[in-house]
Amino acid sequence: MSSLRRTDLLALSNLRNDGRKPNEIRRMTVQMSPLTNSSGTNGSALVQMGLTSVLCAVVGPIECARRSDELTDRALLEVNVRTAPFAPSSGDRRTANPSTDRRIIEQSSLIQNALEASLMLHLFPKTRIILDITVLADDGGRLCAAINAATCALVDAGLPMKDLVCSCSAGLVTGTGSTADGLEDIELMDLNQKEVSSYSNEASAVYMPVATMPQRGTVVLAQCESRLSSVDVFEKVLNAAMEGCQMVFNVMEACIRERTSKLLAAKMGNASV
């Protein structure tokens, strides 16, 4: 009997290339305060989603370097995204310039807009808050991982927020099953780099990173560069992404509560941080 490859076994079991079901996100871990305050940061967080790893450090609120940068009614939020030379899974070791790379500039703007919807910047007028985001490993979904890391870092810094900003991607691909109208479309949550690359050549494939405030039921980011055939397709992908954001919220909430309980125990003298 001929031996089956791993990919064949996964396909027969209707599983994805990493063994997940279509409605499962990758294994997610959150580490609060990986950087000490002696490094000049007010808060930090390390988020891993599968093989994608992002580190975020928060500095501020601090005074603006120039008076012309001050905003009288709110704080100025600066987002700096950098990619480590060893981060891309493709093996490309070229260093991207954050000030000229179009993709990094676009993602910095998207992260800033998503977080400004939740941060209470009006409490800190004439100041600035700096987010330094470093992509340590990129296996797909680095925008979502960066937003999640920035949210956890802001919570670690003690900055007031209306709600946690949680991000997850979703996609729609043509499956192997058949219906009366043809092949069945399958919604996928939290796509990795291999899935994004393999489905990018399909005309009907859709990929959409989404960020939400789950407790408020508000969508703060939905970016789609694919051509959508109908509104129903958009609703399917958006609903799948929002379900993924809820799963991300559950993980982040549990990690934040665990971190808070440790700080309270240390304050009472029952533990050390």
Side-chain angles (χ1 to χ4, degrees), residues 31-39 41 43-45 55-58 132 156:
Q31 181 182 354
M32 307 289 288
S33 298
L35 304 177
T36 59
N37 291 335
S38 59
S39 59
T41 62
S44 59
L55 174 67
C56 179
V58 178
D132 287 326
D156 187 55

Side-chain angles (χ1 to χ4, degrees), residues 81 95-106:
V81 179
T95 303
N97 189 344
S99 60
T100 59
D101 187 89
R102 183 187 63 85
R103 179 65 65 178
I104 291 181
I105 295 174
E106 180 184 9

Side-chain angles (χ1 to χ4, degrees), residues 26 49-53 89 137-145 169 190-194 196 207:
R26 292 174 288 181
M49 300 181 68
L51 298 179
T52 300
S53 180
S89 58
D138 184 8
D139 187 45
R142 70 175 184 180
L143 174 61
C144 300
S169 63
D190 193 15
L191 280 71
N192 57 33
Q193 186 62 44
K194 186 175 182 180
V196 175
Y207 175 69

Side-chain angles (χ1 to χ4, degrees), residues 31-105:
Q31 181 182 354
M32 307 289 288
S33 298
L35 304 177
T36 59
N37 291 335
S38 59
S39 59
T41 62
N42 297 95
S44 59
L46 176 64
V47 170
Q48 293 177 311
M49 300 181 68
L51 298 179
T52 300
S53 180
V54 177
L55 174 67
C56 179
V58 178
V59 179
I62 58 176
E63 294 183 359
C64 294
R66 296 175 298 182
R67 294 185 62 89
S68 58
D69 295 335
E70 294 181 354
L71 300 177
T72 58
D73 58 339
R74 62 183 179 91
L76 176 66
L77 181 63
E78 296 181 11
V79 179
N80 304 317
V81 179
R82 299 179 180 85
T83 303
F86 49 82
S89 58
S90 60
D92 189 357
R93 293 295 186 264
R94 291 177 296 179
T95 303
N97 189 344
S99 60
T100 59
D101 187 89
R102 183 187 63 85
R103 179 65 65 178
I104 291 181
I105 295 174

Side-chain angles (χ1 to χ4, degrees), residues 53-193:
S53 180
V54 177
L55 174 67
C56 179
V58 178
V59 179
I62 58 176
E63 294 183 359
C64 294
R66 296 175 298 182
R67 294 185 62 89
S68 58
D69 295 335
E70 294 181 354
L71 300 177
T72 58
D73 58 339
R74 62 183 179 91
L76 176 66
L77 181 63
E78 296 181 11
V79 179
N80 304 317
V81 179
R82 299 179 180 85
T83 303
F86 49 82
S89 58
S90 60
D92 189 357
R93 293 295 186 264
R94 291 177 296 179
T95 303
N97 189 344
S99 60
T100 59
D101 187 89
R102 183 187 63 85
R103 179 65 65 178
I104 291 181
I105 295 174
E106 180 184 9
Q107 290 185 351
S108 300
S109 178
L110 292 174
I111 296 171
Q112 178 181 349
N113 293 335
L115 295 176
E116 283 182 345
S118 178
L119 268 173
M120 297 184 181
L121 298 175
H122 63 279
L123 299 178
F124 309 98
K126 298 183 179 181
T127 62
R128 62 172 177 163
I129 301 171
I130 304 175
L131 295 180
D132 287 326
I133 300 174
T134 304
V135 180
L136 302 177
D138 184 8
D139 187 45
R142 70 175 184 180
L143 174 61
C144 300
I147 292 176
N148 297 331
T151 300
C152 294
L154 290 169
V155 172
D156 187 55
L159 295 176
M161 303 178 69
K162 301 174 185 176
D163 191 5
L164 297 180
V165 180
C166 305
S167 182
C168 181
S169 63
L172 187 72
V173 297
T174 303
T176 57
S178 60
T179 60
D181 298 330
L183 294 177
E184 180 183 5
D185 291 333
I186 301 177
E187 299 91 10
L188 302 180
M189 290 184 187
D190 193 15
L191 280 71
N192 57 33
Q193 186 62 44

